[in-house]
Amino acid sequence: MNQNIRPYKKQLPKIADTAYIDPAAVVIGDVVIGADSSVWPMVAIRGDANSIRIGERTNIQDGSVLHVTHAGPLSPDGFALHIGSDVTVGHKVVLHACTVEDLCLVGMGSVVLDGAVVSSGCILGAGSVVSPGKVLEGGYLYLGAPARKIRELNQKEIDFLSYSAKHYVSLKNDYIHCDE
Ligand SMILES: CC(C)(COP(=O)(O)OP(=O)(O)OC[C@H]1O[C@@H](n2cnc3c(N)ncnc32)[C@H](O)[C@@H]1OP(=O)(O)O)[C@@H](O)C(=O)NCCC(=O)NCCS
């Protein structure tokens, strides 16, 4: 068995054939990762106490930590983690039991807490903290700790969101084929 992709309670991550999981990343348990997504060195994706779903063409950059919340007295259903398609998750991000919808960029070093929703087409500036349960409006730049709405994204930034996702698909293809 590939030790960096391993089961928890007999549940093995389901990873699309075209996804790239770096050998120095760890993916555990109830995790689904879609086509052309990529997971870079030193990322931990731990689907033990709840589930983690990652869409297509999404990149999770180096050192990020993805985890979930179990069902218990403080939250009856717990919280799963959902990340959509074409999402860029920068270096050293913590995504904890939250939702990040399609075509978002989560800036380096950001933290998104339980039950928060980063709606489609958002940029979260580097080093931001999204408070538990907060819903960020799609199409806006948010910054700071706690993250505050700054302004609507301009066209260049909107274009960058899909560019970044495509760039990472191409980069992971280079990594997959680099030994050929
Ligand atoms: C926020 C961001 C998108 C720049 O937006 P911008 O509107 O062009 O911002 P500017 O550079 O013009 O700066 C405007 C103000 O915001 C501040 N600012 C910029 N980025 C900030 C951040 N992440 N957190 C807090 N303040 C920030 C600037 O210092 C400046 O403040 P001032 O007006 O007091 O001087 C960029 O700084 C950022 O954080 N990008 C994320 C990149 C990233 O993590 N990518 C991950 C993939 S590698």
Side-chain angles (χ1 to χ4, degrees):
M1 194 202 336
N2 184 343
Q3 283 302 306
N4 74 320
I5 300 171
R6 55 182 191 263
Y8 173 74
K9 292 190 173 167
K10 298 189 176 164
Q11 200 153 9
L12 190 62
K14 294 188 181 80
I15 296 167
D17 291 347
T18 55
Y20 173 71
I21 311 298
D22 189 275
V26 178
V27 183
I28 300 171
D30 186 3
V31 177
V32 176
I33 300 180
D36 283 325
S37 286
S38 55
V39 176
W40 297 91
M42 312 314 287
V43 167
I45 301 180
R46 184 152 59 87
D48 47 12
N50 217 313
S51 60
I52 298 180
R53 300 290 178 261
I54 299 175
E56 301 182 353
R57 300 172 303 281
T58 282
N59 62 87
I60 313 293
Q61 296 180 20
D62 323 61
S64 291
V65 174
L66 278 51
H67 193 228
V68 286
T69 292
H70 68 282
L74 296 179
S75 62
D77 298 325
F79 287 98
L81 169 60
H82 293 273
I83 305 174
S85 295
D86 300 295
V87 175
T88 293
V89 175
H91 312 285
K92 222 169 162 228
V93 164
V94 176
L95 295 179
H96 200 271
C98 59
T99 297
V100 181
E101 295 182 349
D102 298 346
L103 277 167
C104 286
L105 184 151
V106 181
M108 300 177 240
S110 293
V111 178
V112 185
L113 294 165
D114 288 39
V117 178
V118 182
S119 302
S120 186
C122 264
I123 294 183
L124 190 56
S128 298
V129 176
V130 182
S131 324
K134 176 110 180 161
V135 178
L136 307 194
E137 192 177 344
Y140 281 82
L141 170 67
Y142 283 79
L143 278 186
R148 303 266 185 228
K149 190 197 264 184
I150 303 295
R151 59 169 171 78
E152 249 182 297
L153 297 187
N154 59 43
Q155 193 55 48
K156 203 171 157 194
E157 290 165 330
I158 293 168
D159 293 344
F160 181 75
L161 296 172
S162 50
Y163 168 83
S164 176
K166 283 190 194 118
H167 168 68
Y168 264 89
V169 170
S170 152
L171 190 59
K172 69 88 189 163
N173 285 337
D174 286 350
Y175 273 67
I176 288 171
H177 300 297
C178 69
D179 292 335
E180 293 171 1

